[in-house]
Amino acid sequence: MTRKHLLAVAAIAGLALAVPLQAPEPAAAFTADQATRAFDDFVDVYWDDAADYFFTYSDHQVHAGHAHGPQGGLYTDYWWEAQLWETVMDRYERTGDATSRAMIDDVFDGFQAQYPDFRENDWNDDIGWWARGSIRAYELTGEARYLASAQEMFAFIAPYEDTTYGGGIWWKNVDVGDGSRNEKNVATNATAVYTAMRLYAATGDQEYRTTALRLFGWLDTNFDNAGHLRDHVSGNNEYKDWDWTYNQGNFAGAALELYLDSGSPAYLTDATQVVDWAVDNLTSSGTLLREGVDDTGGFKAILTRNIRALIDQAGQTQYEAFLTANATQAANHVDGAGIGGYDWSAPTPESSTTPLQSLAAAATVAILQQASPDGYTGVVEGSGVYEAENALRSGVDSESTAAGRSGRGYLAGWNASGTSVTFDVNVVDGGTYAVDLRYAAGAGAATRLLAVNGAAPTPVAFAGTSAWDAWTDVSTTVTLVPGHNTITLSYGAGDANYLNLDRLALAL
């Protein structure tokens, strides 16, 4: 991934505002026809047939928020286009139709026209994604040029592996060896493992396999903490623990390749463990969370693509229902043009009036190709458990130091007027529901305001707790409409004291 702005994105993700409430619309069944329409709608909005390239935004204009790529950002950047190419291949793998088969070639031709020399990119992970896409295109089409592209690109990035931090390929091919300007990460190295193993299968060259084993061994030892992956290492051997769905998916895909090659159950355990962690910790009521805009808007598709591979290639059918539920949730919240947004749990703003980024829209398309349709026509409620750290926050930080928390963290240090957290909640039936808010109030009693669907708020009193790790629940009720709702907890002018919020549990 091109992560030049990832620190900013991480901050933005934590401050994202809720999508304005819209009247619930009838849920659409997740069917094979709907998956086909999702792809066709996406192509109608984002594909430029004359340029053989995807637009960055739905309005075909350059926006300062993501002005990267050909023609000043009119078209998607190097990394985004690789992800959209994978989405085209998701469609072709599902249907085998002539249109998407031709588009595999068109996207690659458009990329080569815009980037005649792929080496003119400082980011090894960007190049690595095109190498991964190229070997997949070769497997799907049998065209020798795709195999040659994968080999050439992999041969370019592989020499940037060295023993700094114990191993791994550098993220960038400039500032090599300078941990203050460069890093080594899962994005670059797990993708390289996948590509190397596929190249080994295609060519029989043992060196690819040797490289893959070495890179994966380094990742497994240094980045995998019982399924919870670190993001990168830099500086003076300093690891950063950013939680992203694409890291979990990338690592799972790499482990799967080694399992398929060796048959070793340890590799399969590695793969399922990281997927299980993502399912348990990077979801809200079972739906994959909104991770932000720009690069992070497309991360979910990388996880779900690798989950599909685990099901198909390793018989891990326990994930089938998870994929289908997420696909249905995403499909239920597309806009009038059939375009999905950053948050699968909430209505997507109309792409005709609110410019939507193609990478995020493609994630909805991708999971509709990857999941198995079941024809279900209703709302996806999920578990009813919403982790606070995965909700939409405005001015509230999270942490994970207190023992006894649920999920991967909780909201902490919450003591400022005008701040809030919003949960997107979907229910089949309208009516009154019991809600439990799990919290700690080690500084004494606190109050907050609770509002449903933007209505007038009501106060909620949180009794003081004996310590910050003495978690307890306060119970209240909310009146919800069928379909999508928002539940917002805010710090109003008359509220007081610090509060750590762990989760919201809705009694379904």
Side-chain angles (χ1 to χ4, degrees), residues 40 326 500:
D40 293 344
N326 271 265
N500 287 0

Side-chain angles (χ1 to χ4, degrees), residues 60-81:
H60 305 173
Q61 301 295 315
V62 175
H63 294 272
H66 196 88
H68 313 291
Q71 296 193 29
L74 178 65
Y75 298 109
T76 67
D77 66 30
Y78 198 108
W79 181 71
W80 283 30
E81 194 73 359

Side-chain angles (χ1 to χ4, degrees), residues 207-461:
E207 184 58 31
Y208 289 124
R209 183 177 185 273
T210 300
T211 299
L213 288 168
R214 185 172 61 248
L215 291 175
F216 186 83
W218 174 74
L219 283 171
D220 196 29
T221 299
N222 295 283
F223 287 79
D224 183 10
N225 180 19
H228 181 195
L229 292 177
R230 292 170 153 179
D231 182 77
H232 69 266
V233 59
S234 61
N236 186 23
N237 206 44
E238 298 157 359
Y239 283 84
K240 195 69 171 180
D241 295 333
W242 290 342
D243 299 335
W244 301 116
T245 54
Y246 90 137
N247 280 340
Q248 304 293 131
N250 255 335
F251 187 90
L256 173 61
E257 290 303 310
L258 295 179
Y259 167 70
L260 295 174
D261 173 69
S262 67
S264 171
Y267 289 126
L268 184 58
T269 297
D270 285 336
T272 57
Q273 194 170 42
V274 297
V275 169
D276 290 344
W277 192 91
V279 170
D280 291 342
N281 293 280
L282 299 179
T283 56
S284 288
S285 193
T287 298
L288 288 164
L289 55 80
R290 170 185 171 137
E291 293 177 272
V293 300
D294 298 329
D295 290 348
T296 60
F299 282 2
K300 294 189 285 288
I302 296 168
L303 171 63
T304 56
R305 185 171 295 120
N306 284 288
I307 292 176
R308 179 76 260 164
L310 273 169
I311 296 169
D312 291 345
Q313 299 171 36
Q316 300 304 295
T317 57
Q318 68 269 28
Y319 302 121
E320 196 75 79
F322 174 78
L323 281 188
T324 299
N326 271 265
T328 306
Q329 189 78 283
N332 285 350
H333 291 107
V334 298
D335 75 350
I339 301 302
Y342 310 98
D343 191 341
W344 290 349
S345 295
T348 300
E350 290 299 320
S351 54
S352 59
T353 56
T354 301
L356 293 177
Q357 295 176 333
S358 56
L359 184 64
T364 291
V365 179
I367 194 168
L368 284 167
Q369 312 310 306
Q370 297 154 2
S372 296
D374 62 357
Y376 173 64
T377 59
V379 173
V380 177
E381 293 183 324
S383 65
V385 176
Y386 299 83
E387 294 293 338
E389 69 274 12
N390 293 341
L392 298 177
R393 292 173 278 139
S394 178
V396 190
D397 291 327
S398 65
E399 64 180 35
S400 57
T401 56
R405 69 184 185 278
S406 65
R408 64 192 174 107
Y410 50 88
L411 304 192
W414 188 8
N415 189 32
S417 181
T419 55
S420 64
V421 57
T422 296
F423 301 88
D424 288 296
V425 174
N426 292 278
V427 293
V428 172
D429 299 314
T432 300
Y433 289 79
V435 169
D436 288 334
L437 297 166
R438 190 168 192 259
Y439 74 96
T447 57
R448 294 294 184 271
L449 296 175
L450 187 148
V452 177
N453 295 333
T458 58
V460 178

